[in-house]
Amino acid sequence: MVAIQPGKAQYEQVADLLRSRIEDGTYPPGSALPSEPVLSGELGLSRVTINRAVGILRSEGYVKVKRGSGAFIRTMPRILRDARRRYAAGSQGTGAGAVEVASLGMRPHTEYREIARVPASSEVAKALDIRQSTDVLVRRRVLYADDEPTQIADSYYPWEIVQDSPLLHADSGPGGSYGRLAELGHPVARFTEEVNVRMPSTAERQTLGLDGTPVFDILHIAWTSEERPIEAAFHVMPGHLWTLRYDWDHGAPEHLRSGS
């Protein structure tokens, strides 16, 4: 039976126990979590209590429920997204996301869902500081680690700049989009990001294979040295898969400390 701690709900204590078993390898990645009847018998608690505890682990991304088969321990490790260092990936001839996944010994893969000329929505127009319905290039993609989706990323660029560029193709060449923007005379000088946490839409949940877990909603904007926004990228990333790291120097210029 679980030793009851005063002031803490039983289902929270069961969640703590199961979480520690996952983290110490008692329940290894990919294995089935013991069923509710088994855990109920082992711990001497009701199935309702066990169910609520498993619900916590689902919301935290520790387990994924497969209908008719039970709950299974997730296999994906957390991916570190280091805001300062990730764009050094351009020198490696590939995208930052691919390098982050490859560093974990996993195979990165990108599925392009759309590359097209489209009118800018109000949200895109605001991010790129252009009029709504102005033509932009969109590159919609889903990024994978091995066969598991890790994020949805939709990037938008002013059409007048990129209309005859390799960015109209899935493989834009060494250095990715920022390499191509530099060749077009618009090198990126700095980035800004706005990060929010929310529950995913139905479509996002289906695409990312989520099971009640929240997502990071990131608006990433690339700026030229003339302070022109040249790319607006909207990232939707499962919260349980990613660790976001931001660092800055003490005494950095004011525009780099605006979020402090």
Side-chain angles (χ1 to χ4, degrees), residues 4-121:
I4 302 302
Q5 303 174 33
K8 191 168 188 178
Q10 284 185 328
Y11 72 90
E12 293 178 326
Q13 296 178 56
V14 173
D16 290 343
L17 174 64
L18 299 180
R19 191 185 300 107
S20 68
R21 289 180 177 180
I22 293 171
E23 293 175 346
D24 69 15
T26 301
Y27 304 146
S31 67
L33 187 73
S35 67
E36 289 181 10
V38 169
L39 289 171
S40 177
E42 175 196 349
L43 302 176
L45 297 171
S46 72
R47 290 184 60 176
V48 172
T49 298
I50 302 300
N51 182 269
R52 294 187 69 182
V54 174
I56 291 177
L57 298 185
R58 290 175 63 183
S59 68
E60 294 175 343
Y62 281 92
V63 301
K64 183 174 183 178
V65 173
K66 298 180 181 178
R67 293 188 181 278
S69 300
F72 291 81
I73 313 305
R74 285 192 179 269
T75 58
M76 277 284 293
R78 274 191 171 270
I79 307 169
L80 175 64
R81 185 179 189 275
D82 189 309
R84 181 188 289 266
R85 296 175 177 84
R86 68 190 314 263
Y87 293 105
S91 64
Q92 301 179 40
T94 188
V99 171
E100 290 161 343
V101 167
S103 69
L104 296 174
M106 306 185 77
R107 178 180 61 87
H109 167 66
T110 300
E111 174 187 295
Y112 283 86
R113 301 195 293 178
E114 183 182 21
I115 301 176
R117 179 181 183 176
V118 298
S121 66

Side-chain angles (χ1 to χ4, degrees), residues 112-157:
Y112 283 86
R113 301 195 293 178
E114 183 182 21
I115 301 176
R117 179 181 183 176
V118 298
S121 66
S122 58
E123 187 178 24
V124 171
K126 180 179 179 181
L128 289 176
D129 193 23
I130 58 177
R131 291 181 180 274
Q132 185 174 344
S133 298
T134 300
D135 284 349
V136 293
L137 171 68
V138 63
R139 291 167 60 89
R140 304 186 198 276
R141 57 205 187 276
V142 180
L143 279 64
Y144 293 81
D146 290 342
D147 295 319
E148 182 159 348
T150 61
Q151 64 174 294
I152 299 168
D154 296 345
S155 295
Y156 297 84
Y157 308 86

Side-chain angles (χ1 to χ4, degrees), residues 160-179:
E160 61 178 293
I161 291 174
V162 300
Q163 57 184 307
D164 295 317
S165 77
L167 288 175
L168 275 66
H169 307 288
D171 183 0
S172 61
S177 59
Y178 298 136

Side-chain angles (χ1 to χ4, degrees), residues 139-254:
R139 291 167 60 89
R140 304 186 198 276
R141 57 205 187 276
V142 180
L143 279 64
Y144 293 81
D146 290 342
D147 295 319
E148 182 159 348
T150 61
Q151 64 174 294
I152 299 168
D154 296 345
S155 295
Y156 297 84
Y157 308 86
W159 178 254
E160 61 178 293
I161 291 174
V162 300
Q163 57 184 307
D164 295 317
S165 77
L167 288 175
L168 275 66
H169 307 288
D171 183 0
S172 61
S177 59
Y178 298 136
R180 304 293 76 74
L181 289 171
E183 292 170 356
L184 293 167
H186 302 278
V188 174
R190 70 181 183 94
F191 307 99
T192 58
E193 289 190 346
E194 297 177 4
V195 182
N196 289 286
V197 176
R198 60 173 173 82
M199 297 306 294
S201 67
T202 299
E204 292 166 345
R205 189 167 61 251
Q206 293 173 345
T207 298
L208 295 172
L210 299 180
D211 187 26
T213 56
V215 294
F216 290 118
D217 186 333
I218 302 177
L219 168 58
H220 172 94
I221 301 178
W223 302 77
T224 68
S225 58
E226 291 80 27
E227 291 297 298
R228 177 180 183 178
I230 201 69
E231 178 208 32
F234 298 82
H235 299 265
V236 180
M237 305 163 64
H240 69 278
L241 282 186
W242 291 89
T243 295
L244 310 184
R245 176 184 291 170
Y246 298 89
D247 69 274
W248 52 88
D249 299 325
H250 178 66
E254 181 62 31

